[in-house]
Amino acid sequence: MPGKTELTELSKEELTQAVVALGEKPFRAKQLWQWLYFHGETDFSLMTSFSKELREKLAENFTITRPKIVAEQISVDKTHKWLLEFSDGQRIETVYIPEEDRGAVCISTQVGCAMGCRFCHTGSQKLTRNLTAGEIVGQFMVARDVYKEWPTPKDETRYLSNIVVMGMGEPLQNLDNVIKALKILTDGEGISISRRRITLSTSGIAPNIIPLVQTTGVKLAISLHAPDNEKRSRIMPINKKYPLEEVLQACHDYQQLDGSHFVTFEYLMLKDFNDSLEDAHKLMDLMRRFRINAKFNLIAFNPWPGCDYEPSSRSKIIAFSKELQKNRFAAPIRVARGQDILAACGQLKSKKEEPK
């Protein structure tokens, strides 16, 4: 006998097909979708718009699974980090970063990461597998459970207001599942997060940038971290396959789809490596060459045990920012959040080091 179907793995169209295959009318699928993603319900017996017979039929054929919270930590600045476990025992980390009246959930797309960026703690944990669409969406649903944001609130009352696809893994190496998950997260009859409130960060898988934005419409962030190919290849091995010119051309093409788009470039400030004024001018020359409307997020490096790099001094980061802004490039300095619980940028890692 075949096993039960996990509903959170189904697109809206697939869910409709599954419900119709049970002999039900398509409108029942719409109701079920709303129970899943508007009400956040996981118990079929509590889906009161269905008859008892239908609820029993749904329970016989389907499951609704959340990732399991294995551990959680709350930073002194209220950043909230969860260690989540999936049905096969694999684990990832998810982070909620609160602001005064809103906040962003930082979700992961892979167990580990294959990019091997020299400055990133996650990159020191080798890739185990891609997450499924349901596992990606499930992270946000866990956060909704914890903060009691079911039924789906209106934007003005929503504390989990934004999503940043910047957790563990390279999203564009898991393109199909990421696109499927983003469509579920943005569907207006369910979770209903605006596409403009979702930002996806990539290390630069250039061929997948345009397919992503054409199908999802989310905002784009590029992990840049160096102003030329020589330096970038030293800290980001992916640059050898997709050099800066290819990545920036894709960014230019992305902007052509909608002239109002800015591309955000994340730039980790590493002491005596990429933090000189000369580096700043090289960055600006790149943006002008590829005609990109750019915003730079300057990030103070978050050290982690065993890393060879050190953070730039505060004075150097400020000077770098001022130089970019003097030339009309927005260059805010990102305030580090959750450093005390290793929840800040580049610090996520879900596996303990095994003894050799």
Side-chain angles (χ1 to χ4, degrees):
M1 179 180 176
K4 296 181 181 181
T5 299
E6 173 56 50
L7 286 179
T8 62
E9 296 296 348
L10 302 183
S11 67
K12 203 171 192 180
E13 295 74 23
E14 291 167 340
L15 184 139
T16 300
Q17 292 168 7
V19 169
V20 169
L22 291 181
E24 297 295 327
K25 300 291 186 183
F27 79 91
R28 292 299 188 193
K30 180 177 179 179
Q31 290 178 314
L32 181 55
W33 184 267
Q34 290 175 331
W35 278 114
L36 288 172
Y37 298 118
F38 182 82
H39 295 284
E41 187 54 69
T42 59
D43 187 342
F44 292 108
S45 70
L46 299 179
M47 298 181 181
T48 51
S49 61
F50 299 142
S51 67
K52 182 180 179 182
E53 180 184 6
L54 177 52
R55 281 178 270 167
E56 290 174 350
K57 188 193 293 187
L58 292 172
E60 288 169 3
N61 288 275
F62 301 126
T63 56
I64 305 168
T65 305
R66 290 279 202 276
K68 176 185 175 183
I69 299 176
V70 176
E72 58 186 312
Q73 294 174 281
I74 299 179
S75 166
V76 293
D77 63 20
K78 306 303 182 185
T79 296
H80 197 155
K81 183 173 77 168
W82 297 276
L83 177 63
L84 302 180
E85 183 176 280
F86 301 112
S87 58
D88 65 351
Q90 295 296 336
R91 297 177 175 184
I92 53 89
E93 291 186 326
T94 301
V95 177
Y96 171 57
I97 307 163
E99 303 294 343
E100 186 174 339
D101 59 349
R102 58 186 177 83
V105 180
C106 180
I107 60 178
S108 298
T109 56
Q110 295 179 312
V111 181
C113 185
M115 295 297 96
C117 298
R118 306 292 184 237
F119 50 79
C120 182
H121 200 197
T122 308
S124 67
Q125 176 184 331
K126 301 303 182 184
L127 177 67
T128 301
R129 68 169 175 85
N130 286 332
L131 296 187
T132 65
E135 291 168 339
I136 295 169
V137 174
Q139 296 170 62
F140 186 75
M141 296 171 81
V142 165
R144 277 265 184 98
D145 292 344
V146 171
Y147 284 91
K148 297 179 169 45
E149 286 214 345
W150 303 106
T152 293
K154 296 180 180 179
D155 280 343
E156 60 267 23
T157 60
R158 181 182 290 163
Y159 287 98
L160 309 184
S161 60
N162 292 55
I163 293 174
V164 286
V165 190
M166 298 184 185
M168 296 173 58
E170 165 51 62
L172 296 191
Q173 276 202 324
N174 188 15
L175 185 64
D176 291 344
N177 286 323
V178 167
I179 287 175
K180 188 174 184 179
L182 291 176
K183 287 182 175 180
I184 294 171
L185 290 164
T186 56
D187 185 86
E189 294 181 329
I191 292 173
S192 193
I193 297 289
S194 166
R195 290 168 174 79
R196 308 315 299 155
R197 289 183 176 269
I198 299 177
T199 301
L200 180 143
S201 175
T202 175
S203 61
I205 312 296
N208 288 348
I209 289 174
I210 297 305
L212 170 85
V213 298
Q214 284 179 326
T215 52
T216 67
V218 300
K219 292 160 69 175
L220 180 66
I222 302 292
S223 293
L224 194 65
H225 308 315
D228 57 57
N229 282 317
E230 188 275 326
K231 284 186 177 180
R232 195 166 191 263
S233 293
R234 280 162 60 187
I235 58 173
M236 299 180 70
I238 190 63
N239 193 70
K240 295 171 185 175
K241 185 171 184 179
Y242 301 114
L244 278 173
E245 291 78 9
E246 195 170 340
V247 174
L248 294 177
Q249 184 60 51
C251 292
H252 172 80
D253 295 343
Y254 160 76
Q255 284 189 168
Q256 294 301 104
L257 295 173
D258 182 343
S260 66
H261 285 174
F262 270 76
V263 178
T264 298
F265 291 94
E266 294 157 336
Y267 196 87
L268 195 64
M269 303 294 294
L270 301 173
K271 181 180 178 181
D272 298 332
F273 178 78
N274 64 356
D275 58 357
S276 70
L277 295 187
E278 181 184 357
D279 291 319
H281 282 278
K282 284 184 178 181
L283 274 182
M284 292 185 281
D285 289 343
L286 276 176
M287 299 305 121
R288 293 171 183 135
R289 176 181 165 193
F290 286 91
R291 304 190 305 282
I292 295 173
N293 296 324
K295 170 187 173 182
F296 294 96
N297 265 343
L298 304 184
I299 306 168
F301 176 55
N302 300 303
W304 46 271
C307 183
D308 294 332
Y309 293 96
E310 297 179 33
S312 300
S313 67
R314 181 70 180 173
S315 60
K316 271 216 164 183
I317 297 175
I318 291 172
F320 199 96
S321 174
K322 285 183 175 179
E323 193 68 18
L324 291 171
Q325 293 186 70
K326 185 173 72 176
N327 287 274
R328 300 186 177 182
F329 287 94
I333 300 169
R334 186 188 293 176
V335 177
R337 302 291 298 273
Q339 284 180 295
D340 56 311
I341 58 170
L342 291 181
C345 180
Q347 290 185 314
L348 300 187
K349 189 173 181 182
S350 64
K351 287 187 177 179
K352 293 180 180 178
E353 297 295 341
E354 300 295 336
K356 294 182 179 180

